[in-house]
Amino acid sequence: MKVVAVINQKGGVGKTTTTTNLCHALAEVGYKVTAIDFDPQGQLAISLGIITQDIGGIDEVMLAKKTVLQQVIRVRHNLALVPAGPRLKDIEQLLAAGQPKGMVLKTALGSYFADQDFVFIDCPGGTAQRHGVKNRLRKLFCRSGFCLYRLPAIIRIFNC
């Protein structure tokens, strides 16, 4: 399994669009992909066709209310989604004092996605600055505007 966090220091640069397109394209060519909407705006779910409001998601997983498998929504063949959930925007206040959000996410995910080829995390703007990015995590930076890459180049980056 390869975990890819799509990040940038600001919003509106195409992180969600990039995540949506990469997830869809990789699923289309046969890879098992899970997308996690870690942006409280919840636009990744909408981009993948889930328009139901106020459904729980990664927020409930991080608060230990449900397991991540309970929150997975099958979007299409080879593509699953864990939506943001309505409480994600308040998660830092809801977590116990001093718990870094990134470590809570890592613990919450555990090894649930070991059968997946890719797990993409669509992050909110400023994630790299606020939480830092671990070297072990594969990163796709959207530097400016929309990230337009050819899929074969992306697959080579991820060593598929």
Side-chain angles (χ1 to χ4, degrees):
M1 168 187 59
K2 296 181 186 197
V3 178
V4 180
V6 183
I7 63 174
N8 192 296
Q9 292 81 4
K10 63 179 192 162
V13 295
K15 295 179 298 294
T16 299
T17 301
T18 298
T19 304
T20 301
N21 289 330
L22 286 174
C23 289
H24 178 73
L26 288 166
E28 277 288 311
V29 297
Y31 292 103
K32 293 179 186 173
V33 181
T34 296
I36 299 173
D37 196 347
F38 204 52
D39 187 341
Q41 293 181 16
Q43 296 299 309
L44 181 62
I46 293 168
S47 295
L48 293 173
I50 307 300
I51 56 173
T52 305
Q53 297 296 319
D54 296 325
I55 57 173
I58 198 67
D59 58 345
E60 293 183 7
V61 175
M62 292 179 70
L63 293 169
K65 303 284 185 197
K66 294 190 177 178
T67 69
V68 72
L69 289 180
Q70 291 173 305
Q71 301 305 89
V72 171
I73 299 170
R74 298 284 167 209
V75 177
R76 56 185 61 97
H77 183 67
N78 288 335
L79 180 55
L81 167 72
V82 179
R87 296 168 60 188
L88 187 59
K89 67 183 178 305
D90 303 318
I91 202 77
E92 289 178 359
Q93 290 79 28
L94 296 171
L95 291 173
Q99 282 186 293
K101 194 163 75 169
M103 290 306 295
V104 173
L105 176 64
K106 181 180 176 181
T107 302
L109 296 180
S111 59
Y112 286 113
F113 297 115
D115 66 329
Q116 298 294 290
D117 296 309
F118 292 96
V119 174
F120 278 82
I121 303 173
D122 183 35
C123 298
T127 300
Q129 292 172 333
R130 286 194 311 271
H131 304 290
V133 178
K134 302 290 182 195
N135 289 334
R136 294 187 340 238
L137 187 67
R138 302 237 178 200
K139 303 170 289 282
L140 176 63
F141 288 91
C142 298
R143 289 188 171 82
S144 65
F146 288 101
C147 295
L148 299 175
Y149 297 101
R150 294 177 300 134
L151 184 59
I154 293 293
I155 292 174
R156 279 195 304 278
I157 289 170
F158 299 138
N159 300 317
C160 296

